[in-house]
Amino acid sequence: MSSIKVIGGSKLKGETIIQGSKNAALPIIAATVLNQGVTILRNCPRILDVFHMIDVLKELGCTANWEGNTLIVDTTYISSTKVSENSVQKMRSSILFLGALLGRTQEVSIAYPGGCSIGKRPIDYHLESIKSMNVSQEFCGENNSIIHCYTDKIKGNDIFLRFPSVGATQNVILTAVLGEGITRIFNAAREPEVLDLCNFLSLAGARIRGKGTAFIEIEGVKALHDVEYKLSSDRIVTGTYMAAVAVAGGDVVLRNIPVNHIESVSNVLKRIGCKIRVTDDVMKISCNKRPLPYDILKTQPYPGFPTDMQSQLMTVLSLADGASTIIEEIFESRFQNAKELNKMGANITVENENKAVIRGVNSLQGGLVRAYDLRAGAALVIAGLAALGTTVIRDVTCVERGYEDICRDLRSLGASINYCSDNILACASYPMA
Ligand code: UD1
C-alpha cells in the first residue's frame, strides 16, 4: 500500500494526455480468448486492473506482451478453463471470462465474485441470461463458491435485462458471439464501453447489430480472426481531471479525450461555472470562480451522469457557493467519501444510502484521509489540490487500479503531488519532486 501527498492551493495550468479506457480494456481483454490467434490492442492503459486481466490470461495458458501502450495477446492455445478464486477476488471484472471462455471452450469454472466497497454487486443477471442460452450451471467447492458452466452448444435466445447492467450485457455478448443462432438483448446497457466491445468483436468477424443501443442482436459465427484495435480514451479519467480544474481553478488542456462520451459530465460542469471548449479530441477547460451549487445530481445509466464520477463531483460541490444534493441510483454504498471529505472540513450529510446533501464551504483543510475505492481515492486527490496545506491520502493502491499515474498527470498540470510511503510521519515530511 502506498500513499499520495498533495500540497494544495495552487491553480492548475498545463496539459496532459488522457489514457486508454479501463472499462473498455477489461472486457476486450476477456474477449481476446474468443479468437484462436493474436490480438493487438492499442491505447491500452497500463493500470493494475489490466495487469490482473493479463494474469488471468496467463492462468489460462495464453501470453500477453507490452510494447509501450500496445498489448499483444496470443490466445492460440488455452490450457485451462478455470479462473481461480484469487483472480476473481483481486478483480470482479474477471467474471467477464465466464462468457468468453464458454464461447471458446464450452466450459468454464469461475469463483463467485463477492460484493465490494461500493455495493453488493450480484451477478444474477449474468447467470440467468447465460443459463437460458442452453448452458448448464453447477455450484461447487467450499460454500458453493465456484460456478461451473458447460454446454454442448451455446444457443441464441431472447434476453430481457431487468436493469441495463454493463457487465451482464457484455457477458451475454461474449457468450453469444460464437453460439448458434441469434441472441437478442432487450434493455441492454448503452455505455460506450459496451459499444467498444461490440466494435472490437465486429472488426474480428462477429455479427452484431444495434451497437450502442438498448437492443442488441448478435448472430453467432463459426470463428473470429486476428485483429488490431485501438481502445477509446477513458471518459472517467477525463472527467476526473475536469473536476480537478473545477475544484482547484485554472486553465488546462486535455488531449486524446473521448469527445462523444463526456457530454453529461461536461453539461454539469458547465452549469456550475466551468468554461469548456472542445476541438477534435482536445479540450480546453477553465474555471476561475467558486463552483455554483447543483440542485439535484442523479447518477444514471449512460447517457445519464455516471456513478463513476459521483465521488469527484461530491468533492467539487463540497466547495460550491450553496447546497447541492446527490442521488446515487446505481450502487448502494457509494457515499463513504463523505466521511473523509468532512474530515477535511466539508459539510456533507448522508441522509440515506442513496442521498447526500452537500452544503458548500469556503475552503477545505489538508488532512490525513483514506481511499476506500478507486474513484473515491481520485476524488480525495482532487480535494487535496484545493485544500489549504498538505493532504495525505492513504491506501491509494486502489487508485492505481484505474489511473496509470495520477500524480504524473496532475504534476503536468502544475500540481504539487507525489506518491510516498505509507509511513504517514515520513510521508508528511516527504520532499516533493
Ligand atoms: C460497470 C463498470 C463500473 C461502473 C458500472 C456502472 C466496468 C469494468 N465496470 O460495472 O465502473 O460503475 O458499470 O456504470 O465496466 N446488478 C445486479 N445483478 C447483476 C448485475 C448488476 O443486480 O447481475 C446491479 C448492480 O449491483 C448495480 C447495477 O446493477 O447496482 C449496475 O451494475 P453493472 O452495470 O452490472 O456494473 P458493472 O458491470 O459491475
Coordinates of all heavy atoms in Angstrom, one line a residue, residues 22-23 26-27 92-93 96 118 120-126 163-168 170 191 193 235 307-308 330-332 334 375, ligand 1:
K22 N -10.1 2.1 -19.1 CA -10.1 0.9 -18.3 C -11.3 0.0 -18.6 O -11.1 -1.2 -18.9 CB -10.1 1.3 -16.8 CG -10.4 0.1 -15.9 CD -10.3 0.5 -14.5 CE -11.6 0.8 -13.8 NZ -12.6 -0.3 -13.6
N23 N -12.5 0.6 -18.6 CA -13.7 -0.2 -18.7 C -13.9 -0.7 -20.2 O -14.7 -1.6 -20.4 CB -14.9 0.6 -18.2 CG -14.9 0.7 -16.7 OD1 -14.0 0.1 -16.1 ND2 -15.9 1.4 -16.2
L26 N -11.0 -3.9 -20.2 CA -11.2 -5.2 -19.4 C -12.0 -6.2 -20.2 O -11.6 -7.3 -20.4 CB -11.7 -4.9 -18.0 CG -10.9 -3.9 -17.2 CD1 -11.5 -3.7 -15.8 CD2 -9.5 -4.4 -17.0
P27 N -13.2 -5.8 -20.7 CA -14.0 -6.8 -21.4 C -13.3 -7.2 -22.8 O -13.5 -8.4 -23.2 CB -15.3 -6.1 -21.7 CG -15.1 -4.6 -21.5 CD -14.0 -4.5 -20.5
R92 N -13.2 -8.0 -9.8 CA -14.6 -8.5 -10.2 C -14.7 -8.8 -11.7 O -15.4 -9.6 -12.1 CB -15.7 -7.6 -9.7 CG -15.7 -7.3 -8.3 CD -16.9 -6.4 -7.9 NE -18.0 -7.3 -7.7 CZ -18.9 -7.6 -8.6 NH1 -18.9 -7.1 -9.8 NH2 -19.9 -8.4 -8.3
S93 N -14.0 -7.9 -12.5 CA -14.2 -8.0 -13.9 C -13.7 -9.3 -14.5 O -14.0 -9.6 -15.6 CB -13.4 -6.9 -14.6 OG -14.0 -5.7 -14.3
L96 N -16.0 -11.6 -16.5 CA -16.2 -11.5 -18.0 C -15.6 -12.7 -18.7 O -16.0 -13.0 -19.9 CB -15.7 -10.2 -18.5 CG -16.4 -8.9 -18.0 CD1 -15.7 -7.7 -18.3 CD2 -17.8 -8.9 -18.6
I118 N -18.3 -0.6 -2.8 CA -19.4 0.3 -3.3 C -20.8 -0.3 -3.4 O -21.8 0.3 -3.7 CB -19.0 1.0 -4.7 CG1 -18.9 -0.1 -5.8 CG2 -17.8 1.8 -4.6 CD1 -18.7 0.5 -7.2
K120 N -23.3 -4.4 -3.2 CA -23.4 -5.9 -3.2 C -22.9 -6.5 -4.5 O -22.4 -7.6 -4.5 CB -24.8 -6.3 -2.9 CG -25.4 -5.8 -1.5 CD -26.6 -6.6 -1.1 CE -27.9 -5.9 -1.1 NZ -28.3 -4.7 -1.0
R121 N -23.3 -5.9 -5.6 CA -22.8 -6.3 -6.9 C -23.1 -7.8 -7.2 O -22.1 -8.5 -7.5 CB -21.4 -5.9 -7.1 CG -21.1 -4.4 -6.8 CD -19.8 -4.0 -7.2 NE -19.7 -3.7 -8.6 CZ -18.6 -3.1 -9.2 NH1 -17.6 -2.8 -8.5 NH2 -18.6 -2.9 -10.5
P122 N -24.3 -8.2 -7.2 CA -24.6 -9.6 -7.6 C -24.4 -9.8 -9.1 O -24.2 -8.9 -9.8 CB -26.1 -9.7 -7.2 CG -26.6 -8.3 -7.3 CD -25.5 -7.4 -6.9
I123 N -24.4 -11.1 -9.4 CA -24.2 -11.4 -10.9 C -25.4 -12.3 -11.4 O -25.3 -13.1 -12.3 CB -22.9 -12.1 -11.2 CG1 -22.7 -13.4 -10.3 CG2 -21.7 -11.2 -11.1 CD1 -21.7 -14.3 -10.8
D124 N -26.6 -12.1 -10.7 CA -27.7 -12.9 -11.1 C -28.2 -12.7 -12.5 O -28.6 -13.6 -13.2 CB -28.9 -12.6 -10.1 CG -29.2 -11.2 -9.8 OD1 -28.3 -10.3 -10.1 OD2 -30.3 -10.8 -9.4
Y125 N -28.1 -11.4 -13.0 CA -28.5 -11.2 -14.4 C -27.6 -12.0 -15.4 O -28.0 -12.5 -16.4 CB -28.5 -9.7 -14.8 CG -29.2 -8.8 -13.9 CD1 -28.9 -7.5 -13.9 CD2 -30.3 -9.2 -13.2 CE1 -29.6 -6.6 -13.1 CE2 -31.0 -8.4 -12.4 CZ -30.6 -7.0 -12.3 OH -31.3 -6.1 -11.5
H126 N -26.3 -12.0 -15.0 CA -25.3 -12.7 -15.9 C -25.7 -14.2 -16.0 O -25.8 -14.8 -17.0 CB -23.9 -12.7 -15.3 CG -23.3 -11.3 -15.1 ND1 -22.1 -10.9 -15.6 CD2 -23.8 -10.2 -14.4 CE1 -21.8 -9.7 -15.2 NE2 -22.8 -9.2 -14.5
F163 N -32.4 -4.6 -15.5 CA -31.7 -3.4 -15.4 C -30.6 -3.4 -16.4 O -30.0 -4.5 -16.7 CB -31.0 -3.2 -14.0 CG -30.3 -1.9 -13.7 CD1 -31.0 -0.8 -13.2 CD2 -29.0 -1.8 -14.0 CE1 -30.4 0.4 -13.0 CE2 -28.3 -0.6 -13.8 CZ -29.0 0.5 -13.3
P164 N -30.3 -2.3 -17.1 CA -29.2 -2.3 -18.1 C -27.8 -2.5 -17.6 O -27.0 -1.5 -17.6 CB -29.4 -1.0 -18.9 CG -30.0 -0.1 -17.9 CD -30.8 -0.9 -16.9
S165 N -27.5 -3.6 -17.0 CA -26.2 -3.9 -16.4 C -25.1 -4.0 -17.5 O -25.3 -4.7 -18.5 CB -26.3 -5.2 -15.6 OG -25.0 -5.8 -15.6
V166 N -24.1 -3.2 -17.2 CA -22.9 -3.2 -18.2 C -22.3 -4.6 -18.3 O -22.2 -5.2 -19.4 CB -21.9 -2.2 -17.7 CG1 -20.7 -2.2 -18.6 CG2 -22.5 -0.8 -17.7
G167 N -22.0 -5.1 -17.1 CA -21.3 -6.4 -17.1 C -22.1 -7.6 -17.7 O -21.7 -8.4 -18.4
A168 N -23.4 -7.6 -17.3 CA -24.3 -8.6 -17.8 C -24.5 -8.5 -19.4 O -24.4 -9.5 -20.1 CB -25.7 -8.6 -17.1
Q170 N -22.3 -7.3 -21.4 CA -21.0 -7.7 -22.0 C -20.9 -9.2 -22.0 O -20.5 -9.9 -22.9 CB -19.9 -7.0 -21.3 CG -19.9 -5.5 -21.6 CD -18.9 -4.7 -20.8 OE1 -18.5 -5.2 -19.7 NE2 -18.4 -3.6 -21.3
E191 N -23.6 1.9 -22.4 CA -22.4 2.6 -22.0 C -21.4 2.5 -23.2 O -21.4 1.4 -23.9 CB -21.7 1.9 -20.8 CG -22.1 2.5 -19.5 CD -23.6 2.4 -19.1 OE1 -24.3 1.8 -19.8 OE2 -23.9 3.0 -18.0
E193 N -18.5 1.7 -23.3 CA -17.6 0.5 -23.2 C -18.2 -0.7 -23.8 O -17.5 -1.7 -24.2 CB -17.1 0.3 -21.8 CG -16.3 1.4 -21.2 CD -17.2 2.7 -20.8 OE1 -18.4 2.5 -20.5 OE2 -16.6 3.8 -20.7
R235 N -13.2 8.0 -20.4 CA -14.1 9.1 -20.1 C -14.1 9.5 -18.6 O -14.3 10.6 -18.2 CB -15.5 8.8 -20.6 CG -16.2 7.7 -19.9 CD -17.5 7.3 -20.7 NE -18.0 6.0 -20.1 CZ -19.1 6.0 -19.3 NH1 -19.8 7.1 -19.0 NH2 -19.5 4.8 -18.9
T307 N -22.1 7.0 -12.4 CA -21.8 6.8 -11.0 C -20.3 6.9 -10.7 O -19.9 7.3 -9.7 CB -22.3 5.4 -10.5 OG1 -21.9 5.2 -9.2 CG2 -21.8 4.3 -11.4
D308 N -19.5 6.5 -11.7 CA -18.0 6.6 -11.5 C -17.5 8.0 -11.4 O -16.3 8.2 -11.2 CB -17.3 5.8 -12.7 CG -17.5 4.3 -12.6 OD1 -18.0 3.9 -11.5 OD2 -17.1 3.6 -13.5
I330 N -27.2 3.9 -8.8 CA -26.6 2.7 -9.3 C -26.1 1.8 -8.2 O -26.5 0.6 -8.2 CB -25.5 3.0 -10.3 CG1 -25.9 4.0 -11.4 CG2 -25.0 1.7 -11.0 CD1 -26.9 3.6 -12.3
F331 N -25.4 2.3 -7.3 CA -24.8 1.4 -6.2 C -25.3 1.8 -4.9 O -25.7 2.9 -4.6 CB -23.3 1.4 -6.3 CG -22.7 0.8 -7.5 CD1 -22.1 1.5 -8.5 CD2 -22.8 -0.6 -7.7 CE1 -21.6 0.9 -9.6 CE2 -22.3 -1.2 -8.9 CZ -21.7 -0.5 -9.8
E332 N -25.3 0.8 -3.9 CA -25.9 1.1 -2.6 C -25.0 1.8 -1.6 O -25.5 2.4 -0.7 CB -26.3 -0.3 -1.9 CG -27.1 -1.2 -2.8 CD -26.2 -2.1 -3.6 OE1 -25.1 -2.4 -3.2 OE2 -26.7 -2.6 -4.6
R334 N -22.1 4.1 -2.0 CA -21.0 4.8 -2.6 C -20.8 6.2 -2.0 O -20.4 7.1 -2.7 CB -21.3 4.9 -4.1 CG -20.0 4.8 -4.9 CD -20.1 4.6 -6.4 NE -18.7 4.4 -6.9 CZ -18.4 4.2 -8.1 NH1 -19.3 4.2 -9.0 NH2 -17.2 4.0 -8.5
R375 N -12.5 5.4 -7.4 CA -13.0 6.8 -7.7 C -13.0 7.6 -6.5 O -12.8 8.8 -6.6 CB -14.3 6.8 -8.4 CG -14.4 5.9 -9.7 CD -13.4 6.2 -10.7 NE -13.3 5.2 -11.8 CZ -12.4 5.2 -12.8 NH1 -11.5 6.1 -12.8 NH2 -12.5 4.2 -13.7
Ligands
UD1_1 C1 -19.5 -1.4 -14.7 C2 -18.2 -0.6 -14.6 C3 -18.2 0.3 -13.4 C4 -19.5 1.1 -13.4 C5 -20.7 0.3 -13.5 C6 -22.0 1.2 -13.7 C7 -16.6 -2.0 -15.7 C8 -15.4 -2.9 -15.6 N1 -17.1 -1.6 -14.6 O1 -19.6 -2.2 -13.6 O2 -17.1 1.0 -13.4 O3 -19.5 1.8 -12.1 O4 -20.6 -0.5 -14.7 O5 -21.9 2.0 -14.7 O6 -17.1 -1.7 -16.8 N2 -26.7 -5.7 -10.9 C9 -27.5 -6.7 -10.4 N3 -27.3 -8.0 -10.9 C10 -26.4 -8.3 -11.9 C11 -25.6 -7.2 -12.4 C12 -25.7 -6.0 -11.9 O7 -28.3 -6.5 -9.5 O8 -26.3 -9.4 -12.3 C13 -26.8 -4.4 -10.4 C14 -25.5 -3.9 -9.6 O9 -25.5 -4.4 -8.3 C15 -25.6 -2.4 -9.7 C16 -26.3 -2.2 -11.1 O10 -26.9 -3.4 -11.4 O11 -26.4 -1.9 -8.7 C17 -25.3 -1.8 -12.2 O12 -24.3 -2.7 -12.3 P1 -23.5 -3.1 -13.6 O13 -23.9 -2.1 -14.7 O14 -23.6 -4.5 -13.9 O15 -22.0 -2.7 -13.2 P2 -20.7 -3.5 -13.5 O16 -20.7 -4.1 -14.9 O17 -20.3 -4.3 -12.4

